[in-house]
Amino acid sequence: MALGALRSLENNRKRCSRNQINTLLPSFYIQFCGECLQPCLQVTSPLCPLCRVPFDPKKVERSSSVEKQLASYKAPCRGCSKKVTLVKMRSHIASCSKVHEQIANCPKFVPVVPTSQPIPSNIPNRSTFVCPFCGARNLDQQELVNHCMDNHRNDPNKVVCPVCSAMPWGDPSYKSSNFLQHLLHRHKFSYDTFVDYSIDEEAALQAALALSLAEN
């Protein structure tokens, strides 16, 4: 898990509400999970999510103390049981053959009650994606956003959005000129929650308009 620390850029007479003390502090740090901090970094004038002090996103730093803990603590892989440091666990699971075997051997879909409808097959994978910059695999939508923000923030290459290309209406050849902005603006929610993949984009728009008119 990526972690960051915010350094206050206010003058040294700001009070840290996190510690709830009245002492004047020369400067202070607050640690946040990188995923929790992302919404604050997407606005023009970000504020600390805890004490609401303005901060410069360019001054966000990775917490070396937490990274040392992640690099020293080990846990067993759920597939091969090999003990791996937490900082390397995600990459290990992505390449672990035992984990892939477990996924492949998951029970196939069976209807709860008898049905005349055909059992779905050859359903495209729309739940995990591959990073278009470095090829990192098995990233869900939020993990893809976090991964690209952490590792490819300054990458100027035009790439195909793996989320859009997995959709029925997606164009697998279209390259986004600013992929990070595209991710942050177009993929703030999971399509699985709102989209009926059995209809095209125009039909989905008409259905949404009809539902909106019905509610009003």
Side-chain angles (χ1 to χ4, degrees):
M1 181 182 296
L3 294 138
L6 298 181
R7 190 208 311 253
S8 169
L9 296 186
E10 295 294 289
N11 59 47
N12 59 7
R13 305 184 74 81
K14 284 292 181 183
R15 187 181 68 182
C16 178
S17 62
R18 174 175 182 258
N19 294 318
Q20 298 181 346
I21 57 177
N22 295 319
T23 307
L24 299 179
L25 301 175
S27 64
F28 59 89
Y29 289 84
I30 306 176
Q31 292 181 346
F32 294 96
C33 163
E35 184 173 333
C36 298
L37 189 61
Q38 281 305 318
C40 300
L41 300 176
Q42 297 170 20
V43 298
T44 305
S45 300
L47 301 176
C48 170
L50 188 61
C51 60
R52 314 308 296 169
V53 171
F55 71 93
D56 184 348
K58 295 180 180 178
K59 298 296 183 180
V60 172
E61 302 172 0
R62 299 178 70 89
S63 173
S64 58
S65 62
V66 175
E67 287 187 330
K68 287 180 180 178
Q69 292 178 3
L70 293 175
S72 60
Y73 294 158
K74 292 186 177 182
C77 168
R78 68 172 185 260
C80 64
S81 299
K82 177 182 178 181
K83 287 193 173 183
V84 183
T85 56
L86 297 182
V87 74
K88 296 182 179 179
M89 182 63 76
R90 181 171 294 172
S91 60
H92 171 80
I93 289 177
S95 60
C96 179
S97 59
K98 293 291 185 180
V99 172
H100 292 183
E101 287 177 12
Q102 291 177 356
I103 295 173
N105 294 329
C106 284
K108 295 184 178 180
F109 171 79
V110 177
V112 178
V113 295
T115 175
S116 59
Q117 295 181 346
I119 296 176
S121 61
N122 299 324
I123 300 175
N125 178 10
R126 299 189 178 108
S127 58
T128 60
F129 308 96
V130 176
C131 172
F133 291 112
C134 68
R137 305 177 66 84
N138 300 320
L139 302 171
D140 65 24
Q141 191 165 301
Q142 188 58 50
E143 287 173 343
L144 178 65
V145 173
N146 296 341
H147 169 82
C148 290
M149 290 296 292
D150 289 342
N151 300 283
H152 308 295
R153 185 188 292 267
N154 299 316
D155 195 320
N157 292 322
K158 296 181 179 181
V159 294
V160 175
C161 174
V163 181
C164 289
S165 62
M167 300 301 141
W169 58 83
D171 181 356
S173 63
Y174 178 77
K175 292 186 177 182
S176 174
S177 58
N178 192 330
F179 179 61
L180 288 181
Q181 287 300 314
H182 170 82
L183 271 183
L184 295 174
H185 288 89
R186 293 297 300 273
H187 300 305
K188 291 184 177 180
F189 63 90
S190 174
Y191 279 117
D192 286 339
T193 308
F194 299 96
V195 175
D196 182 352
Y197 295 118
S198 65
I199 59 178
D200 60 25
E201 193 170 15
E202 180 61 28
L205 175 61
Q206 294 303 320
L209 292 174
L211 181 60
S212 177
L213 290 172
E215 291 177 349
N216 294 330

